[in-house]
Amino acid sequence: MFDPKEYIASLPKRPGVYRMFGAGHELLYVGKARSLRDRVGTYFAAGNVNPKVQALTAQITAIEVTVTNSETEALLLEYNLIKAHKPRFNVVLRDDKSFPYIHLCVEHEFPRLVFYRGARSSPGRYFGPFPNAGAVRDTLNQLQKLFRIRNCRDSFFANRSRPCLQHQIGRCSAPCVGLITRAAYAEDMAAAVKVLEGRSDEVNAELQARMEEAGAGLQFERAAQIRDQLAALKRIQAQQVVTAEGHRDVDVFAIVGEAGEYAVSVMLVRGGRNLGTTSYFPRAALAEPHEALASFVMQYYASAEAPAEVLLGSRLEEAASLAEVLSSRTGRAVEVRHPMRGLAVRWVELTQENAAQALRMRFAQRQGMEEMLLDLSEQLDLPEPPARMECFDISHTGGEGTVASCVVFGPEGPLKKEYRRFNITGVSPGDDYAALRQALERRYKHVRQGEVPPPDLLLIDGGAGQISQVHAVLAELGYGDLTLVGVAKGPDRRPGQERLFVYGVAAPVTPEAHSPAARLIQRIRDEAHRFAITGHRRRRARRYNESVLEVVPGLGPAKRRALLKHFGGLQGVMRAGVADLTQVAGIGATLARSLYDHLHPGS
């Protein structure tokens, strides 16, 4: 029998790490301490009535400690143990997606800048990290507008005989067909790199000098082009809300909430430019805010390199230890501090505000999901609200490029890291049953192997006939007892008219339009549809090795250029409706409908 009073009395007043174990020697919690006796004693103090602490101490059957020479050593050991064992009462950063970068591919004589995520082992330079993929794409878009850097794959580049659409809309200098010299292209790339490094002022001066030189040499067309580049760069600089002096690289962290419900917001500042924030929701059932933040920062920099300056939204006793650890990892000095004045305080306040907003949105989303799940369980007569739902959909064009999607939803909404796509092969064109069977077999092979948990509710786009066939497949795979529901569109195929065919129930269920259950079903089905179409569109575009617009009947080069200029690029065209498309010169109602149907198959 574990006697905490006797055990605590034997602990030294030294820095170290303590590990709390439950039944079966399960590791429940890992913590660090400046004084092991004082820190462990607080858990069993009579005045500690925190319900989460009491829930932990009630399960403790043993405690082990490791004495360290310093608080820094304790911080490192705590991090290593949490990373290795992921105790359920500790702060665990669950979003382990790698950070996005811009990669300069240098192996080609006309190099390019590309979106990159993963291990930075390929040759070339990496710029970042960026807070999210959107920030990378916005930056690349700006650089392509400014310096007309190519963005095509090398295989596409090598096989061009004429300039592509990117050149026609002024976003590429067409080095593939020799419309720019290697030296001139290198100048543009060097300028783009300086912008990424935060040296825009140098680029301004260089462009000004090159414009004057071109004018003096009577190269007026070249001078006008550089003038336009210079004006565009100055417009982008003017749009930067916050620009720091000295081209600083800074990461800013702020935490809000309470134990078990924290939001941490991270702002990235590179070259003095605020690149935006990303919010995380670490699991931290016991930690106080300062403990949760310190643990989060350690885990965050496990996959990212710390800049020279790390700003915190609150004072941490561990700041000096964090700085020592990060400096050791990066091989240069890293300052970790809570700022009190100047621009740094404004950055911290903005990050704190973003964290608070992210937590409010998370609470609102969770409450909405709880209401929708409860209503759905009542409509389908389920014993309890489903904790995990999967939905499958199939997308193709005339049976070509078939892709199946599987989206996953939980109590807090979509679990996007668990989404999966399946490129369907070896089935007859247009045979959706066979495509769905292949996707289910591939998906539930992983479920059977224990790699993926089975859902409580499986949704399929279709009616009673589809559900019967799907159930036969599931029964063969050993999952015939899953709750299986077919989502059939109403007579007018409008949202809110869906009928739900539950396998084993004779009559379909028709939720009331705009009810919480109906909204949830529409959201999941639409997400599966979107995810399938996106995958199909990419697969089809790769197969044709050309722009999606180039395969639209009746859409010639002039009309393609007009569309892309009007909507600012392909993504804008993809988001446009039929009425929006008709606003472009030369695009009539018939062609607009044909184009829309081509870009949105199955809609």
Side-chain angles (χ1 to χ4, degrees):
M1 183 70 179
F2 177 66
D3 183 355
K5 185 174 294 186
E6 181 180 342
Y7 183 80
I8 292 166
S10 67
L11 291 177
K13 289 194 172 187
R14 292 271 306 278
V17 170
Y18 53 93
R19 301 178 297 285
M20 296 176 169
F21 296 91
H25 210 61
E26 175 197 4
L27 184 58
L28 302 174
Y29 186 72
V30 175
K32 65 182 180 306
R34 178 180 299 176
S35 166
L36 285 168
R37 182 189 299 178
D38 295 341
R39 181 63 179 128
V40 175
T42 61
Y43 290 94
F44 299 94
N48 194 338
V49 294
N50 186 318
K52 292 186 175 67
V53 173
Q54 292 180 346
L56 171 65
T57 55
Q59 301 179 50
I60 293 175
T61 60
I63 299 178
E64 296 178 1
V65 301
T66 301
V67 176
T68 60
N69 291 318
S70 66
E71 292 178 60
T72 301
E73 286 185 19
L75 183 69
L76 274 171
L77 179 57
E78 179 199 39
Y79 162 73
N80 290 332
L81 289 171
I82 292 173
K83 182 180 179 181
H85 302 288
K86 295 181 172 57
R88 56 191 173 96
F89 281 93
N90 274 100
V91 176
V92 177
L93 176 57
R94 289 178 286 182
D95 189 344
D96 58 356
K97 182 185 288 185
S98 58
F99 297 93
Y101 285 78
I102 289 177
H103 180 209
L104 170 58
C105 307
V106 296
E107 294 181 315
H108 200 279
E109 63 177 348
F110 292 99
R112 64 187 182 121
L113 296 167
V114 297
F115 177 98
Y116 185 84
R117 197 193 289 275
R120 301 189 299 280
S121 55
S122 301
R125 292 190 60 187
Y126 296 87
F127 302 93
F130 288 79
N132 50 58
V136 175
R137 294 191 177 101
D138 287 345
T139 302
L140 286 173
N141 190 37
Q142 289 178 349
L143 293 175
Q144 283 157 12
K145 285 181 181 178
L146 278 171
F147 303 110
R148 303 201 299 165
I149 302 297
R150 76 176 182 96
N151 65 349
C152 58
R153 288 188 290 271
D154 291 349
S155 58
F156 186 84
F157 180 96
N159 291 289
R160 293 301 296 182
S161 58
R162 58 185 177 84
C164 67
L165 283 174
Q166 292 294 310
H167 174 73
Q168 295 170 19
I169 62 172
R171 295 197 180 184
C172 179
S173 52
C176 56
V177 291
L179 296 188
I180 185 173
T181 66
R182 185 173 180 180
Y185 186 88
E187 284 185 345
D188 288 337
M189 179 58 79
V193 167
K194 287 181 179 178
V195 170
L196 287 171
E197 293 173 337
R199 298 158 59 192
S200 297
D201 292 342
E202 290 183 33
V203 179
N204 284 339
E206 289 176 5
L207 288 177
Q208 185 73 35
R210 284 160 58 187
M211 181 180 68
E212 293 172 359
E213 182 182 349
L218 304 182
Q219 299 175 339
F220 300 116
E221 186 174 340
R222 176 64 175 158
Q225 180 187 357
I226 298 173
R227 178 202 61 203
D228 294 341
Q229 277 185 316
L230 187 58
L233 179 58
K234 288 182 176 179
R235 281 196 301 272
I236 291 172
Q237 290 171 327
Q239 291 167 4
Q240 296 295 333
V241 177
V242 178
T243 300
E245 63 284 352
H247 307 305
R248 296 159 67 181
D249 286 354
V250 183
D251 285 352
V252 188
F253 295 83
I255 187 169
V256 299
E258 56 187 20
E261 293 290 351
Y262 286 121
V264 177
S265 194
V266 184
M267 175 190 289
L268 304 184
V269 179
R270 293 296 180 270
R273 293 191 302 135
N274 177 0
L275 297 180
T277 59
T278 302
S279 295
Y280 301 83
F281 305 94
R283 188 182 77 223
L286 288 174
E288 295 297 318
H290 65 92
E291 296 174 316
L293 184 58
S295 183
F296 177 89
V297 171
M298 281 292 294
Q299 294 182 56
Y300 181 90
Y301 286 119
S303 55
E305 184 175 341
E309 199 172 359
V310 175
L311 304 179
L312 305 175
S314 51
R315 291 187 179 279
L316 293 188
E317 290 183 0
E318 300 91 338
S321 298
L322 280 170
E324 186 176 339
V325 169
L326 296 179
S327 299
S328 175
R329 285 183 180 175
T330 60
R332 52 177 168 72
V334 176
E335 182 183 13
V336 180
R337 64 187 178 93
H338 171 61
M340 300 300 294
R341 62 180 65 85
L343 179 59
V345 171
R346 287 158 52 198
W347 279 335
V348 164
E349 290 173 348
L350 183 59
T351 309
Q352 196 97 23
E353 184 180 337
N354 276 279
Q357 178 63 30
L359 193 59
R360 284 195 296 269
M361 292 176 66
R362 187 175 177 84
F363 284 152
Q365 180 184 28
R366 180 180 299 162
Q367 290 169 359
M369 279 297 296
E370 288 174 356
E371 179 187 10
M372 289 189 287
L373 288 169
L374 181 61
D375 189 33
L376 182 62
S377 66
E378 293 174 352
Q379 295 274 358
L380 300 179
D381 196 24
L382 302 177
E384 59 183 2
R388 182 183 178 88
M389 297 171 289
E390 292 185 354
C391 183
F392 282 78
D393 194 22
I394 305 292
S395 180
H396 57 78
T397 301
E400 181 187 5
T402 304
V403 172
S405 70
C406 172
V407 300
V408 185
F409 275 62
E412 296 182 355
L415 305 175
K416 294 194 174 184
K417 289 177 64 177
E418 301 193 36
Y419 286 13
R420 293 295 182 270
R421 290 194 186 100
F422 306 92
N423 288 330
I424 304 301
T425 58
V427 303
S428 301
D431 189 348
D432 287 359
Y433 289 140
L436 189 55
R437 179 187 186 93
Q438 185 179 128
L440 288 167
E441 288 175 346
R442 291 166 62 182
R443 174 66 170 178
Y444 283 87
K445 178 185 73 174
H446 296 288
V447 175
R448 191 166 52 236
Q449 293 172 349
E451 299 171 13
V452 181
D456 303 312
L457 177 64
L458 178 58
L459 301 171
I460 302 292
D461 188 8
Q466 286 93 330
I467 291 306
S468 296
Q469 296 213 16
V470 168
H471 183 266
V473 175
L474 291 174
E476 289 177 20
L477 297 170
Y479 293 96
D481 57 346
L482 283 181
T483 302
L484 179 61
V485 177
V487 183
K489 297 181 176 67
D492 299 330
R493 302 179 67 84
R494 292 180 179 175
Q497 299 179 342
E498 289 81 8
R499 292 179 298 162
L500 308 181
F501 290 85
V502 184
Y503 183 80
V505 178
V509 177
T510 306
E512 183 180 345
H514 308 302
S515 67
R519 294 201 310 272
L520 179 58
I521 290 294
Q522 291 164 25
R523 182 180 177 190
I524 297 175
R525 182 202 60 198
D526 291 348
E527 181 70 349
H529 190 57
R530 177 200 66 78
F531 196 57
I533 284 179
T534 303
H536 162 65
R537 189 178 295 132
R538 288 177 180 172
R539 187 180 183 190
R540 185 183 59 189
R542 283 196 300 269
R543 177 167 181 172
Y544 284 111
N545 198 23
E546 56 189 4
S547 168
V548 173
L549 294 181
E550 290 191 39
V551 295
V552 179
L555 199 64
K559 291 177 182 177
R560 291 199 297 267
R561 285 197 301 273
L563 277 167
L564 292 167
K565 284 187 177 180
H566 183 86
F567 293 107
L570 184 58
Q571 291 302 315
V573 178
M574 301 292 287
R575 290 191 292 266
V578 175
D580 300 319
L581 294 171
T582 59
Q583 301 300 311
V584 180
I587 307 295
T590 303
L591 180 56
R593 168 51 65 182
S594 174
L595 172 59
Y596 184 86
D597 290 344
H598 186 86
L599 295 177
H600 305 275
S603 60

